[in-house]
Every structure is written in structure tokens, then in C-alpha cells.
Amino acid sequence: MFKNINLELSLKPFKQTDDNYIRRICVQIFEQWKPLLKNRKNIAIMLWVGDGSEILDYAGDLEETFEWAHFVGTANLPYLDDNAPLETSLHERKQDYIKNVPVMTYGILKNIVSCLKEEGKKAFPNATIRVGETFDIGPEFAISDFKYNRHLEICTGSRMDKFGFVDATAKLNADNRYYASYPNGIPEGTPFGTFLGKQSEIFLKDMGFDYLWLSNGLGFSANPWDKTGKIFDGENYYPERLSATKENVFAFWKLFRKECSFPLETRGTNNSVGIDYASDGVPLHDIYNANLDITAPPNSPWAALTDNYGLEIMGHMTRICELPSERFPFRYYIHDPWWINSPWYDRYDGAPSDIYLPMAISRINADGKVETANSLNILSIDNSYGGMPDACVNEPLPHILKAEKDAADEPAPLVWIYPMREYTTSHDAELLREMNIGDNYICDAINDGLPLCCVVSTDNFIRHDLSVYKKSIIISPVPENFKVLEKLMSLAKYGIGVLMYGTLQKLESVQSFRGLIKLNSTENAKSLREALSEFGYSIAFTKKEECIKPPTIGIARKDNALFFSAYNANTTTDTHLKFPLG
């Protein structure tokens, strides 16, 4: 059951900024989404105002104008010339989303926030209504003089359209500009986390916001879309950099939290816990356990863009095997307010696969109980031109509600044991390679049709009675903790199958036992799916051509039944299933 509904919204629908127009748009939002919002305890509107530079530049003057996200295409690029062809790439030239773009002031923004809360409370008087602000690390959404002119020193991460991403661990050069938290300018060497925290505390309070969303990996990695970073360059690992990198990443959170009291919600990266740690030293276990008042990142929306559902599912499971709060998030990509792209039509062709597959994901908590997503984000409820078409509510919404109704209540047939703590507290150079290879192996296996969608952390796993897993097959990397290995041996004696993966060198460290199948993670990942046949599960595909991508499958248990979710990229592919029951 979704305890929290978060509707993401840009300012584009507010094409006029008088009170009546603003209020009309606010009323429309809550009326349009009423079938989803009714009877919910917590409802939030998350505003994509700009790129967060409105926070960085804020000087406390409500009459001051600010740059906001009124473009299609990368905002920090030049405008499309009048005589240039309209088909010019949005990664080369930007365009305004409408003619006569409204001017936004901080006072207008404050009014929008207030109206959203007022109309939300009128429509749903028993719900808590919140409004959130967003901060992004890149050049996409709004013109940023702060990031791409005055303080280029913080933009040393991955590049997009020649612009670097903000590195949260950076320190700022001095300037003499007036800021709300630094009226005499920024002192030399001020940590970015300190500055952002101080500015956010004042800005969020003045505007009436309730929380802040950190977008595209801020606070985790300055390379959120890459599998390389400060520790791994694609070929070589640099373990000597690990300690300092970890400390700097963790320091951002402590510095920010010291200055800003507002709750934080996070987007995270496109990757997994292991890949993030092996490439960029992201100490997620420490971050989750530091009492920072944050939520876990949701599933990445990039499967809609890359067709890589394995990475979305695998990565999400690694981040929710443990949680920093009670929130277990699911995010669904209906519209894109920046890139002339409404995925419900343009990416998914009206098919609900990216609803049912990530909603099939479950975790087993410390008490041995199954948990499923209890917090929903809709990215976004407006399209790139500020429209809010009813069809993009009415068509996907029944699938979202059905996926919520049919969410798992027992461990799935396959359960993945994931060592978040062991991975993200390690200083073992060999383990960096092992976790990177292992997570990619699971990603590839899911893309090859392995129906894996249930996860448990090693720390929770060792607490559980064996009976929790009596209907499951266990998938695990070679354990770093001997207690985990002992538990796996006990499960095997109990008649529960164990599939253990790792590099050959790592596998050699584990003595074989009955019920254990070892799998080399440097070989073809289809070996994992094929190994299920040893325990009575056969999953095979008949394809017209070998190069065709197999279906991506999720199998969850609900009401003593198996619920299948699938994404089949090619309808000429046949799936053949044989399970212990038939």
C-alpha cells in the first residue's frame, strides 16, 4: 500500500502567473489525480523549479527574478537560430517551450507553493499535503550562472553537452556576491555541502517548501550515469584513493545536514551499490545509518531510455535491501518536462512493463517479513509543453493501482542475498573488482530472463529462521561473512537450493557442499538461469534470431499464487516455463 504519493511537476503549466490562473492549475492537478490520491495519508507535489540554482543564487528578495526550467533541450546551450531547421538536436540548441515565457520571481514561486498546499488540503482534508523543491547537478534544466560561469570549480563530474556535473565534495572559490546565507560573499574554500545546506535552510523556509530532493546522484557520485569514477577508470582500480574518496562523499552529507534541517529525498545513480562503491567509493551503508533524515533512492527511470531493465531492477534491489527510513520508493516515468518525450507513449508505447516489473520487487526485512514499495513518485504530471493530458493519467493509472494491489506478501521463488555493509565498508582491492563484476553479472542475468526480484541484506539474512526461505532458491555472491556461509550451508541441508557466484579465484575459497551450485561470474550470465533446472525450474526461450533480447521477467508471490511480470521486446519470442508444480 502506498503511504506516500509524490507528483512531480515543473512550472511550465503556470503559463500565466496571476493568482486566478495559478489557483486554477492547482485545482486541476488534484482533481485530475483524485483516483490515485483519495484515501492517502501523505500527498506531495515535488516542483522542478529550475536546476536548483534558484537556491544557490537566493539573496532573500522576493521581488527578484530567477532562471527557471522553461526550455526544451539543454538549457545552458544557445537558442535555436530562427533560420535553423526545427529538427536540430536538442543537445545542440534549446528552445523556449512557448512564446512569451512568463517571468518568475521568488514571490510568485512562494505563491505557487502556498496555492498547491491550500488546494490540496481542500481536495483531501484528511491528508498531509507537502511541497518539495529539487536540486540537480547538471546543465539540462535551467540556465545556471552559478555553476557554469561563476563557480566552474565545482563542475568536475561527468560531462553532458560539454558541461560538467556538480561534484558534491568540491570546495568553492571566493566571490563577493550577496547571498542570503553569505551577505559578504562566499569565503575561499567553503565546502559545497556547507553552502548548499545554509542556502537551502533559508530558501526552503522562505518559500514554504517542506523537503528537498537531490537529483541525479548528488551526494553519491559526480558520475551518476557512468560505471567509472574516481576509483575505477574502466580498466584499472585505484584502491589507494578509496579512503579519501569515501570520507569526502560522507562529509558532504554531514556538512549539509549540519546546516539544513529539512528532510531529504534522493534520486541516486543509475547503477548499483557495488558498482557505485567500486567506481566512486560511495559508502551507502554509512550514509543510511548516519541518522540523516533521508529516503532511499528509487528505481532509475533510465530503462525507458536504454531498454536495460536488468540494470534498473538489479540496481534498485541493491539500494533497498536496507533502508534509511520506512520509505520504500517506486518511481514511474510518464512525462519528461524537458526533452519532448512522454515515455508512456514515446518509450513504452502504452505498455505497463515498467510498472509491473519494478513493482514486483520486494525486500525481506529484519523480522523476516516481505515489504514492497510504499511510496510512489510520478515523473512527471506535465509534459515538455506544460500540458497535463487526461489520457496520461487515465491509461497508466489502472496498472499502477493493480500493481499496488498485487504486491508480494511472501518471499519470491528466487531470493538474492546482497552484502551492502560488507561491500561499502571494505578496503580490499580485490573485492572492488569482485563486486563490480558480480553486480554486472546479476544485471546481465536478469536481462537474459532470470526472474529475480526479491532481495535480503546479509545482515537481515543471518537473523532469520530457515523457514523464511522454504519456498525459495537462494542466489548469493561468495560470502564475506562466515555467518552467511554457515547459514547457506544450513539452508542446503534443509533442502533449499543455493546458487553462488563469483570469480574463479573467489569461488575456490568456498568448499563445495550438497545443494550448492557454483557459477563463474566472468562467464555468460545465462548460466544462472540455466542452473535453475537443477532445482526443478526450467526457463527457456525460442527466438527467431540469437541476437534478439530475451524477455525480462519478474515472479512474485501473493495470496499463495505466483504473479508474473514481463517485458518482451520481440513478440516473436516464445517463453517455455516448467516449474516444480508444472
Side-chain angles (χ1 to χ4, degrees):
M1 173 67 73
F2 295 131
K3 298 177 181 177
N4 305 280
I5 304 292
N6 308 279
L7 304 180
E8 302 184 31
L9 172 74
S10 80
L11 295 186
K12 286 182 175 180
F14 300 100
K15 296 173 183 177
Q16 300 174 32
T17 57
D18 60 275
D19 287 351
N20 289 338
Y21 194 94
I22 288 172
R23 195 163 295 278
R24 193 174 82 210
I25 295 299
C26 294
V27 169
Q28 180 184 348
I29 289 167
F30 293 107
E31 178 63 30
Q32 193 173 46
W33 286 93
K34 185 176 181 179
L36 174 65
L37 301 179
K38 64 181 181 180
N39 302 322
R40 306 293 182 176
K41 293 182 179 179
N42 298 289
I43 298 169
I45 304 294
M46 194 170 91
L47 284 181
W48 288 98
V49 174
D51 71 339
S53 292
E54 66 275 10
I55 302 173
L56 302 179
D57 286 333
Y58 185 57
D61 181 1
L62 296 183
E63 300 302 315
E64 185 180 358
T65 62
F66 61 85
E67 292 288 349
W68 65 282
H70 57 82
F71 306 103
V72 289
T74 301
N76 285 275
L77 289 174
Y79 272 104
L80 180 73
D81 294 334
D82 290 340
N83 58 354
L86 287 175
E87 61 268 23
T88 300
S89 170
L90 296 176
H91 288 279
E92 295 177 20
R93 291 289 188 270
K94 68 186 177 192
Q95 305 169 42
D96 283 323
Y97 82 111
I98 56 170
K99 293 181 179 179
N100 303 317
V101 168
V103 172
M104 289 289 176
T105 67
Y106 288 102
I108 293 171
L109 177 59
K110 183 171 184 175
N111 188 31
I112 291 172
V113 173
S114 176
C115 283
L116 284 168
K117 290 185 177 183
E118 290 171 10
E119 296 304 326
K121 201 64 180 175
K122 288 179 187 176
F124 304 100
N126 295 323
T128 298
I129 308 296
R130 301 184 307 143
V131 180
E133 162 69 320
T134 52
F135 185 92
D136 188 71
I137 65 175
E140 301 174 73
F141 306 148
I143 295 171
S144 178
D145 187 66
F146 188 99
K147 292 192 295 192
Y148 299 116
N149 182 25
R150 304 200 309 273
H151 289 285
L152 283 167
E153 71 276 5
I154 66 172
C155 299
T156 57
S158 295
R159 305 191 76 77
M160 177 182 180
D161 299 335
K162 82 179 182 180
F163 300 98
F165 287 176
V166 171
D167 185 339
T169 68
K171 293 186 177 180
L172 290 155
N173 293 339
D175 73 16
N176 57 8
R177 185 185 176 102
Y178 185 99
Y179 300 95
S181 62
Y182 288 90
N184 297 317
I186 300 171
E188 180 68 27
T190 300
F192 177 74
T194 297
F195 179 76
L196 178 62
K198 286 186 174 183
Q199 285 287 106
S200 296
E201 180 71 15
I202 298 172
F203 172 84
L204 297 173
K205 190 176 296 181
D206 285 359
M207 296 300 108
F209 284 114
D210 299 293
Y211 67 96
L212 178 65
W213 166 280
L214 302 182
S215 175
N216 277 325
L218 184 73
F220 300 104
S221 170
N223 309 283
W225 302 343
D226 301 333
K227 293 186 178 182
T228 57
K230 297 174 182 177
I231 311 300
F232 178 59
D233 63 10
E235 294 184 5
N236 299 306
Y237 294 90
Y238 300 93
E240 67 277 7
R241 303 174 184 173
L242 184 58
S243 291
T245 303
K246 283 180 60 176
E247 289 173 8
N248 289 337
V249 172
F250 189 63
F252 163 79
W253 295 95
K254 300 297 284 187
L255 291 167
F256 180 93
R257 184 46 80 210
K258 181 181 178 182
E259 306 298 342
C260 184
S261 61
F262 284 78
L264 287 176
E265 299 186 6
T266 65
R267 151 71 161 87
T269 73
N270 288 346
N271 297 312
S272 67
V273 169
I275 293 171
D276 281 345
Y277 190 77
S279 62
D280 254 329
V282 181
L284 198 64
H285 180 268
D286 293 341
I287 292 170
Y288 275 14
N289 288 278
N291 194 28
L292 295 170
D293 192 12
I294 65 170
T295 62
N299 51 306
S300 165
W302 270 49
L305 309 179
T306 64
D307 215 33
N308 192 343
Y309 285 89
L311 184 58
E312 176 189 10
I313 294 166
M314 180 277 297
H316 191 38
M317 285 194 289
T318 67
R319 290 191 293 267
I320 56 88
C321 69
E322 295 279 357
L323 293 173
S325 70
E326 65 175 14
R327 292 273 194 97
F328 179 159
F330 163 59
R331 193 182 193 204
Y332 187 58
Y333 196 9
I334 290 180
H335 291 299
D336 189 310
W338 311 285
W339 290 100
I340 316 185
N341 162 41
S342 289
W344 175 247
Y345 291 124
D346 302 325
R347 304 289 182 173
Y348 304 128
D349 295 324
S353 51
D354 207 16
I355 295 172
Y356 289 114
L357 280 170
M359 276 295 289
I361 293 172
S362 62
R363 66 183 295 268
I364 305 174
N365 66 21
D367 297 324
K369 304 297 183 183
V370 166
E371 295 179 353
T372 56
N374 58 27
S375 182
L376 170 67
N377 272 64
I378 299 290
L379 170 66
S380 60
I381 62 170
D382 62 316
N383 63 28
S384 300
Y385 295 107
M388 298 187 294
D390 288 338
C392 285
V393 180
N394 300 335
E395 293 174 20
L397 184 54
H399 297 289
I400 293 171
L401 296 175
K402 179 174 172 54
E404 179 187 21
K405 176 180 71 73
D406 294 337
D409 59 8
E410 284 188 272
L414 304 182
V415 176
W416 187 24
I417 299 174
Y418 195 77
M420 177 191 282
R421 178 180 53 78
E422 293 92 325
Y423 277 0
T424 65
T425 58
S426 174
H427 290 269
D428 183 347
E430 285 302 314
L431 189 55
L432 295 177
R433 178 174 177 270
E434 195 73 31
M435 67 181 75
N436 200 345
I437 292 172
D439 282 8
N440 279 290
Y441 177 70
I442 295 296
C443 168
D444 293 343
I446 294 171
N447 279 330
D448 186 68
L450 181 75
L452 178 62
C453 57
C454 183
V455 69
V456 61
S457 70
T458 50
D459 288 345
N460 285 341
F461 173 68
I462 60 177
R463 296 186 178 104
H464 296 156
D465 186 83
L466 299 180
S467 62
V468 171
Y469 303 95
K470 62 186 178 183
K471 297 181 182 179
S472 303
I473 297 169
I474 304 301
I475 298 173
S476 174
V478 175
E480 299 300 311
N481 182 341
F482 185 70
K483 289 182 179 180
V484 175
L485 181 59
E486 284 185 320
K487 192 88 168 193
L488 292 174
M489 294 172 68
S490 297
L491 285 171
K493 290 178 182 177
Y494 194 66
I496 295 169
V498 177
L499 301 175
M500 186 179 294
Y501 63 89
T503 60
L504 281 177
Q505 181 180 359
K506 196 73 173 177
L507 289 169
E508 288 171 357
S509 68
V510 177
Q511 186 176 355
S512 295
F513 52 85
R514 186 177 180 182
L516 169 68
I517 295 177
K518 296 181 180 181
L519 297 160
N520 183 351
S521 58
T522 63
E523 295 182 351
N524 195 317
K526 72 178 182 180
S527 61
L528 194 45
R529 171 172 53 82
E530 292 172 344
L532 296 176
S533 62
E534 295 293 325
F535 305 110
Y537 287 84
S538 174
I539 302 171
F541 308 106
T542 300
K543 300 184 290 183
K544 296 293 184 183
E545 298 178 27
E546 185 58 34
C547 63
I548 292 174
K549 183 181 184 293
T552 305
I553 303 172
I555 306 177
R557 277 199 175 94
K558 173 66 179 287
D559 290 339
N560 201 33
L562 296 180
F563 282 71
F564 289 75
S565 305
Y567 165 68
N568 191 358
N570 191 303
T571 56
T572 67
T573 299
D574 292 329
T575 301
H576 310 276
L577 303 174
K578 184 178 180 181
F579 288 8
L581 295 178

